[in-house]
Amino acid sequence: MDQTGGRISFELDGAPVEVAVGATLSLLDVLRGQLGCRSVKDGCSPQGQCGCCTVLVDGQPRVACVTPARRVAGRRVTTLDGLDPARRDAWADAFCATGASQCGFCTPGIVVRLDGLAAARPDADRGAVHQALLAHLCRCTGWRTILDAWDAVMAGEPGDRSAGPPRDLVAAARRAELEGGVPQRVGPEVALGRGGFAADTAPDDALVALGDGTGGWVVGETLAEARAALSKVQGRRTTVAHSWPLEVPDGSWAATLRTTWVEPAYLEPDASWCRPGGEPASPVANGGAFGAKLRSPVPAAARELADLHGRPVLALASREDATRLGPKRPPVAGGIHPDGTGVLRVVRTPGVAAAVASVAPGLTVEEVDVAGPPTSADLRAAGWAEALVLASAVQPGAAPGVPVAVTAPGGARAEAVVDGGTIRVRVRCGTPLDEVVLRSYAIGAAHMAWSWVTSEALTVGPDGDPVDLTIRSFGVVRAVDTPPIEVEIEPDDSAPVNGSDAVFAAVAAATWRATGHRPDWPTGSP
C-alpha cells in the first residue's frame, strides 16, 4: 500500500486493480463506487448485518460494508462475478430450480458464502449451512428453499430437470407477479442479482442523494461523499423493551389479541434514479417489498433532484431511514366472543377497516390515533390477516394440533397446522402456473408468519419514532431457528389468484394456536 498517496492494490476476481482509499472507505464503497461491482449489494451498510455484500477475501467470507478497504491491500478479493463460471451457473440453476431466489437481492452474497463453504468443506451438512446463513437475512424465501439449492448443487444436480417437460419461466413470472404484487422475472440470472435493481442500473455519472431524515436530501458525487456530507451517526439497537400501542377493549372475551409494531424488513432499501425531465426508475424493481414500497417517496425525490441539478440522480434511503420512515402494518388489539362478534382496535390506517370487514363482518373496527411511524394497508394482508387470526380462536374445535383454514379476500384458501415442530400448509389458489414459484412464496409467507407471531417487534419511542434501527433488532427468525415447512399445492384449474397471503394468515393463526393463544405478540416459540 502507498502510505502517502492513499492508494492500494489488490486482486479483484483474478485481475490486479489499484484504487484510491480514505481512512473511512469500506471495501463495499470501493467495489460498488469505484470499480462498478453491481453483484455486491448494499442492504444495510454500514451495519454489517444483512450479508448482501458478502465477498471472499483470500477465500474467506467477509462482509464488505464493515471491512475497511485498506485491509485488502495486496490480497485476493472474489465477488460473485469472480467465481468459477461453471460453479456460478450451477448455483444459479439450483436457486432457480428450487425457488431459492425471489427478488434476488440477498442471493449473490448467499451464493458467495455457500460456494466458499463448499470449497472449504465439501462434506458440510445442512447444519453447517444453517450456521453459514447466520450471517445473512433472506426475507422472501423462508430459508428452506436455499437449503434445497445447497443439496442440489452438492449432489451435482443443480437443474433437477429430469422429470416432466421443460419449465415455463414465463408462466413462472406470472405466478411471481401474482404473489409479489409487481411484475417480476424468474430465471437463473435473478439469483445472481441481475433483476434490474434501481441502484444497479443508474448511470455511472449519476449524483447520489441520501435522505437527511427530515424530508430533505443531501447530494454528493458518490455515495461515500453523500454520507460524509450527511454526518449522520449510525443507528444502533436500543436497550429499551418494545411496548404495545393499543389496549384491548373492555369486555368478557373468549380470546384477545394484541400486536406491536413490526418492520417489513425488505432487503433492498428504497432506491430510484432519474434523468432530468425523465421518468424515475421503480423502487420495487424485481420485488414488491410486501407492499411497503408501493407509495415510496424516493422516485419523486429522484425526479425533483435530477431537474434541479441538471444531471441524473440516484436517490437512496439508508437502512435507518427505511426503518424510521417506511410504512408499517398497523398494530391491533381486539377481543372476540364465541359467536364471532367482537371489537378490533387498530392504529388509524386508510383502508384497514374495509379489509377487516371483508373477512370478519362480526368485528367492529375502532380506529385509534397513535404516535408512531406511518402505517399502510398495502402491506401483506394488513388488517384482514389479524381479523382472521382472532376469529380462528373461536372456531369449533380450536386447539393446538388442529389445522386452521382461512379464505383470503381474493378467494385463495389455505390450511395450516404446527404439528410436531413442523409447519404444514395446504394451499388452493387457482391454476398454479408454476409450482416451484408458488411453493417458494408459500414457504416464505409461512416463515414470515411464524416470525411475526413468535419473534418480531420494533421498539418505538414515546414520540412515535422507531429506535430499533438495525437489521438484527427486528427479530426476524434465523434459518437455524426456522421450523421445517411442508407445502402441499391442491389441484385447481380455476383462474390463478394470490395464494401466499392466505398462507401467511393461515400459518399466523396456526402458530398462535400452537402457543395456546397467548394474547400478546410476539409470543415466543410454542
Side-chain angles (χ1 to χ4, degrees):
M1 180 174 64
D2 180 353
Q3 298 285 354
T4 59
R7 301 185 70 82
I8 63 169
S9 298
F10 61 95
E11 181 184 301
L12 175 64
D13 294 337
V17 295
E18 182 178 319
V19 294
V21 298
T24 61
L25 280 187
S26 70
L27 178 57
L28 178 61
D29 291 327
V30 168
L31 292 176
R32 283 190 65 92
Q34 295 188 39
L35 298 172
C37 297
R38 296 294 181 253
S39 68
V40 186
K41 308 302 185 188
D42 184 351
C44 73
S45 70
Q47 294 182 4
Q49 295 188 359
C50 74
C52 293
C53 63
T54 299
V55 298
L56 302 178
V57 178
D58 292 338
Q60 298 299 312
R62 294 288 183 270
V63 180
C65 73
V66 291
T67 300
R70 289 178 176 271
R71 290 190 182 174
V72 303
R75 303 178 75 178
R76 174 169 48 91
V77 176
T78 306
T79 72
L80 178 80
D81 299 319
L83 298 181
D84 174 80
R87 293 283 295 177
R88 185 175 62 241
D89 290 347
W91 288 113
D93 286 345
F95 271 62
C96 182
T98 61
S101 182
Q102 288 179 19
C103 75
F105 192 82
C106 69
T107 46
I110 291 173
V111 166
V112 168
R113 188 174 296 271
L114 293 185
D115 195 70
L117 175 63
R121 296 178 55 188
D123 59 344
D125 58 13
R126 276 196 167 196
V129 179
H130 272 130
Q131 292 301 311
L133 291 175
L134 289 175
H136 295 266
L137 178 65
C138 177
R139 191 58 159 161
C140 295
T141 65
W143 302 112
R144 302 293 99 186
T145 51
I146 295 174
L147 297 172
D148 294 341
W150 165 270
D151 290 344
V153 170
M154 300 310 287
E157 301 172 349
D160 193 21
R161 302 186 180 93
S162 57
R167 190 173 169 202
D168 183 349
L169 294 183
V170 174
R174 287 175 57 205
R175 173 52 70 180
E177 181 173 353
L178 281 171
E179 302 305 326
V182 296
Q184 291 192 240
R185 293 163 55 184
V186 175
E189 74 282 358
V190 172
L192 303 180
R194 299 168 186 168
F197 301 106
D200 294 343
T201 59
D204 291 340
D205 63 339
L207 296 170
V208 179
L210 292 177
D212 63 6
T214 65
W217 294 83
V218 172
V219 178
E221 288 287 341
T222 64
L223 176 59
E225 183 180 304
R227 280 194 175 131
L230 198 56
S231 298
K232 288 181 66 174
V233 176
Q234 167 73 4
R236 296 298 179 197
R237 182 171 188 166
T238 181
T239 58
V240 177
H242 70 269
S243 59
W244 290 267
L246 298 173
E247 294 296 331
V248 173
D250 291 335
S252 180
W253 306 113
T256 63
L257 170 66
R258 187 167 62 159
T259 68
T260 189
W261 299 103
V262 292
E263 167 60 28
Y266 49 84
L267 262 292
E268 182 209 13
D270 301 44
S272 178
W273 65 270
C274 191
R275 299 184 188 277
E279 286 297 317
S282 170
V284 297
N286 202 47
F290 322 110
K293 288 184 184 176
L294 295 181
R295 305 174 199 274
S296 173
V298 172
R303 174 189 286 151
E304 180 179 346
L305 291 168
D307 290 342
L308 176 66
H309 291 275
R311 286 178 57 182
V313 172
L314 168 63
L316 300 170
S318 67
R319 174 52 56 188
E320 292 92 336
D321 284 343
T323 304
R324 290 181 57 247
L325 306 176
K328 316 295 180 236
R329 66 183 309 115
V332 305
I336 195 166
H337 296 298
D339 64 358
T341 61
V343 177
L344 188 69
R345 285 182 177 160
V346 59
V347 172
R348 189 179 304 281
T349 305
V352 74
V356 172
S358 70
V359 297
L363 292 178
T364 298
V365 176
E366 294 181 356
E367 295 196 65
V368 182
D369 292 312
V370 171
T375 58
S376 173
D378 292 333
L379 272 77
R380 168 174 268 168
W384 65 261
E386 288 86 341
L388 287 175
V389 167
L390 182 58
S392 73
V394 295
Q395 288 178 347
V402 177
V404 180
V406 305
T407 300
R413 180 176 173 82
E415 181 179 286
V417 64
V418 177
D419 181 21
T422 297
I423 301 171
R424 293 186 170 88
V425 177
R426 296 177 67 186
V427 60
R428 185 184 185 98
C429 54
T431 303
L433 296 174
D434 184 87
E435 291 200 0
V436 172
V437 168
L438 180 53
R439 175 178 177 268
S440 175
Y441 273 87
I443 291 174
H447 171 269
M448 183 178 284
W450 171 274
S451 185
W452 175 36
V453 175
T454 65
S455 183
E456 292 184 33
L458 181 71
T459 300
V460 173
D463 60 355
D465 205 22
V467 292
D468 269 336
L469 300 175
T470 66
I471 288 281
R472 298 295 177 183
S473 66
F474 302 153
V476 177
V477 171
R478 307 172 303 174
V480 69
D481 300 317
T482 301
I485 301 169
E486 299 177 359
V487 174
E488 178 185 348
I489 300 171
E490 295 188 2
D492 190 352
D493 59 2
S494 62
V497 295
N498 175 289
S500 56
D501 287 357
V503 171
F504 174 74
V507 173
T511 303
W512 191 40
R513 181 170 290 182
T515 72
H517 297 131
R518 296 172 195 162
D520 290 341
W521 291 10
T523 61
S525 296

